[in-house]
């Protein structure tokens, strides 16, 4: 009996995962556009939003913290594989940061799968507390993504192997700065800082897709 060892995920899979990550976010945002609760809402308002539109809220959770998380895990794993092939230790750490971000998104999904079906306007405290836990976890995830972007950009050129193009490096550094600010905002539930996500999120979707494509281009 013979067995075939499984190697790193093919580059085409990593590239597709980057695109899937962006598409899942877009679909998730569209699913509950204008109806999802936000940081700063009262526990009663959060619970009412979930209770009134559970299908939209669940769809958003599954896309944003489910499907997108899988895409992020695959891209992070692709970066770890590239780092091993090139001996780029720093890029490997960045890949693990991407994997950690994917896992944290999964934690968010679990919390939402508890909060949304259990939303009861008569006792909003539990749902509100779970929602806040999701947002704080989001803050930690954003800091992991900031590490992914910053370290990848810093380690992109290694010996004779260059991973990212110049414009991808520029976007990566801007992403690292903006998502750090928004991450702190979500971690602290600060309504003054969370709006920075309107800048960092589009940059994230573009950059993760670009990273997946870059990993496809490189041997």
């Amino acid at each position: 009996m013979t067995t075939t060892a499984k190697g790193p995920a093919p580059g085409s899979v990593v590239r597709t995962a980057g695109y899937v990550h962006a598409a899942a976010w877009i679909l998730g945002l569209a699913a509950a556009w204008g109806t999802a609760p936000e940081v700063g809402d009262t526990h009663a308002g959060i619970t009412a939003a979930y209770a009134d539109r559970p299908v939209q809220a669940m769809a958003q959770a599954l896309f944003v913290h489910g499907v997108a998380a899988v895409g992020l895990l695959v891209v992070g794993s692709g970066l770890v594989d590239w780092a091993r092939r090139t001996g780029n230790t720093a890029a490997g750490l960045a890949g693990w940061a991407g994997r950690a971000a994917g896992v944290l998104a999964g934690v968010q999904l679990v919390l939402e799968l508890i909060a949304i079906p259990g939303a009861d306007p008569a006792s909003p405290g539990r749902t509100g507390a779970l929602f806040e836990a999701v947002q704080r976890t989001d803050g930690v995830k954003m800091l992991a993504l900031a590490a992914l972007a910053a370290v990848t950009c810093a380690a992109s050129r290694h010996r004779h192997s260059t991973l990212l193009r110049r414009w991808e490096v520029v976007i990566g550094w801007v992403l690292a700065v903006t998502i750090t600010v928004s991450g702190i905002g979500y971690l602290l539930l600060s309504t003054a800082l969370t709006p920075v996500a309107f800048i960092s999120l589009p940059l994230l979707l573009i950059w993760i897709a670009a990273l997946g494509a870059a990993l496809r281009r490189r041997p």
Side-chain angles (χ1 to χ4, degrees):
M1 179 177 179
T2 59
T3 58
T4 302
K6 293 183 178 180
S12 59
V13 174
V14 179
R15 178 181 60 186
T16 300
Y19 297 152
V20 167
H21 175 266
W25 259 101
I26 293 169
L27 290 172
L29 292 174
W33 186 262
T35 65
E38 299 178 356
V39 172
D41 289 352
T42 64
H43 286 189
I46 293 164
T47 305
Y50 280 162
D52 292 345
R53 298 176 180 84
V55 174
Q56 292 95 320
M58 191 68 74
Q60 183 177 82
L62 290 171
F63 276 119
V64 170
H65 298 139
V67 178
V70 173
L72 192 55
L73 282 168
V74 173
V75 173
S77 296
L79 183 56
V80 170
D81 291 336
W82 179 81
R84 287 172 179 165
R85 293 195 301 273
T86 59
N88 192 327
T89 304
L93 294 176
W96 278 103
R99 284 175 167 178
V103 171
L104 287 166
V107 172
Q108 290 179 273
L109 176 60
V110 171
L111 293 173
E112 287 171 315
L113 292 178
I114 297 171
I116 297 168
D120 181 3
S123 53
R126 176 174 175 271
T127 301
L130 285 168
F131 174 82
E132 291 175 354
V134 170
Q135 307 314 306
R136 293 186 190 278
T137 304
D138 206 11
V140 179
K141 181 184 72 179
M142 290 181 189
L143 295 179
L145 290 168
L148 166 63
V151 178
T152 300
C153 290
S156 176
R157 183 178 293 278
H158 178 72
R159 296 176 186 172
H160 301 295
S161 181
T162 301
L163 178 62
L164 299 176
R165 297 167 177 167
R166 181 173 297 179
W167 70 267
E168 293 166 339
V169 171
V170 171
I171 290 179
W173 281 118
V174 177
L175 168 63
V177 173
T178 55
I179 205 167
T180 295
V181 175
S182 58
I184 293 171
Y186 277 86
L187 187 59
L188 301 178
L189 302 181
S190 167
T191 55
L193 297 179
T194 52
V196 179
F198 286 105
I199 300 173
S200 62
L201 178 57
L203 292 175
L204 175 67
L205 303 190
I206 294 169
W207 191 78
I208 292 295
L211 176 59
L215 291 166
R216 172 66 179 87
R217 293 193 304 266
R218 300 295 178 253

